[in-house]
Amino acid sequence: MSDDGLPPLRDVIAEHGLDARKSLGQHFLLDLNLTRRIARVAGDLGEHDTIEVGPGPGGLTRALLMEGAKRVVAIERDERASAALAEVGRAYAGRFSLVEADAMAVDEADHITGPARIVANLPYNISTALLLKWLSLDPWPSWLVSMTLMFQKEVAERVVAAPGSKAYGRLSVISQWRTDAYIAFDVDPRAFTPPPKVMSSIVHMTPKVMGPDDPPLHAVEKVTAAAFGQRRKMLRASLKQVFQDPEAICEQVGVKPTERAERLTVDNFLDLARLL
């Protein structure tokens, strides 16, 4: 038995036939010391609900509950995990709820009792799409208290990338406009079953309060899509998709029309979006 009185995760996987499936982007974390470390990055879990996506056999789920989560709402589309997660529910009666659905289609607000944190070892194949879904909450930040998310390291570096770096792009701009984000620590592939081919990273993101002069999300998305969609081109060319006279617009916000997208700051993109 583990510290929480439940069977070791390897036994759970064997009993329920929970081999990780590549089609679902699954890589399971079996070390409860590691999953508890992830849970602690999220901060005080006792005040709000915690949303988890892709719990699989329940390794991170159990860690969140052991670290004092008020209530964990786990969203899982893999029906094979239901029986294993039901055992977690019985062990933590009243503090665990399973939503059997595709996380991309779920309205999390329907399943929480108030503000909530998201803590998840995200399925790699939909991790960026899920992050953009949550960054698009309207009004911002709606019910969201924070996000503590596992990504492939390459994606994590895009989230926190600085202007001028190769990793800097649309995801960087939108993430850093809406949140304060940092990489808490890296996770070696050997920590997973099966081990992925790449390093992973834990990213913690805390929502920023939007001001009255912040542009609408769709305007930021439109400007960044145009600028980074042709990132090797100068702004005077790439921004023709969204502005009739991009050179004049660039000069109006104090950026050079001959500059490229990766050199602009987040504030530069917000200035451009305000003029749409």
Side-chain angles (χ1 to χ4, degrees):
M1 289 291 172
S2 301
D3 290 347
D4 58 0
L6 288 167
L9 285 161
R10 290 192 185 277
D11 294 351
V12 172
I13 289 171
E15 179 182 350
H16 297 285
L18 276 170
D19 54 299
R21 290 187 175 173
K22 186 176 181 180
S23 62
L24 297 175
Q26 292 174 328
H27 297 276
F28 299 144
L29 287 171
L30 305 187
D31 183 346
L32 279 173
N33 290 322
L34 175 57
T35 53
R36 292 185 76 170
R37 183 184 176 194
I38 295 169
R40 288 192 290 270
V41 171
D44 183 0
L45 300 170
E47 188 175 351
H48 306 292
D49 287 350
T50 299
I51 295 168
E52 182 189 6
V53 171
L60 180 56
T61 316
R62 289 162 59 174
L64 291 166
L65 291 161
M66 291 169 74
E67 289 296 323
K70 174 185 175 183
R71 176 171 168 262
V72 174
V73 178
I75 303 170
E76 178 60 77
R77 62 177 292 192
D78 187 353
E79 296 178 354
R80 298 175 306 149
S82 299
L85 294 170
E87 294 176 5
V88 177
R90 287 190 289 273
Y92 292 94
R95 294 175 58 203
F96 176 77
S97 177
L98 176 61
V99 178
E100 297 182 90
D102 182 343
M104 286 298 299
V106 168
D107 184 346
E108 293 86 358
D110 292 339
H111 302 281
I112 55 179
T113 58
R117 300 180 184 275
I118 302 173
V119 186
N121 170 19
L122 295 176
Y124 284 165
N125 55 356
I126 58 168
S127 62
T128 302
L130 279 169
L131 175 57
L132 289 171
K133 172 194 170 186
W134 294 323
L135 290 173
S136 300
L137 289 172
D138 185 29
W140 177 262
S142 187
W143 47 264
L144 185 63
V145 175
S146 69
M147 296 184 282
T148 306
L149 306 173
M150 174 93 76
F151 295 105
Q152 293 184 33
K153 187 173 182 177
E154 176 265 334
V155 176
E157 289 175 340
R158 286 167 53 201
V159 169
V160 304
S165 64
K166 290 183 178 180
Y168 186 68
R170 291 187 68 206
L171 187 64
S172 317
V173 173
I174 295 173
S175 296
Q176 294 171 39
W177 167 42
R178 297 218 133 176
T179 73
D180 287 311
Y182 69 91
I183 295 177
F185 60 90
D186 295 334
V187 181
D188 191 277
R190 292 170 293 182
F192 297 87
T193 299
K197 295 179 181 179
V198 296
M199 188 73 77
S200 300
S201 300
I202 301 296
V203 179
H204 185 70
M205 308 175 75
T206 305
K208 293 178 179 177
V209 177
M210 296 290 100
D213 61 340
D214 274 277
L217 175 63
H218 71 84
V220 178
E221 289 177 327
K222 196 170 181 179
V223 167
T224 54
F228 287 106
Q230 303 179 75
R231 65 185 298 148
R232 300 311 307 155
K233 290 188 175 182
M234 297 178 185
L235 293 172
R236 66 188 181 192
S238 62
L239 292 181
K240 282 183 178 179
Q241 298 177 50
V242 289
F243 295 111
Q244 277 193 329
D245 189 350
E247 291 204 30
I249 292 293
C250 286
E251 289 170 4
Q252 188 173 336
V253 300
V255 299
K256 295 178 181 178
T258 54
E259 200 63 272
R260 291 181 172 85
E262 69 241 28
R263 306 298 304 181
L264 269 61
T265 66
V266 173
D267 284 340
N268 289 153
F269 280 108
L270 299 184
D271 288 340
L272 289 167
R274 290 186 186 98
L275 298 177
L276 270 184

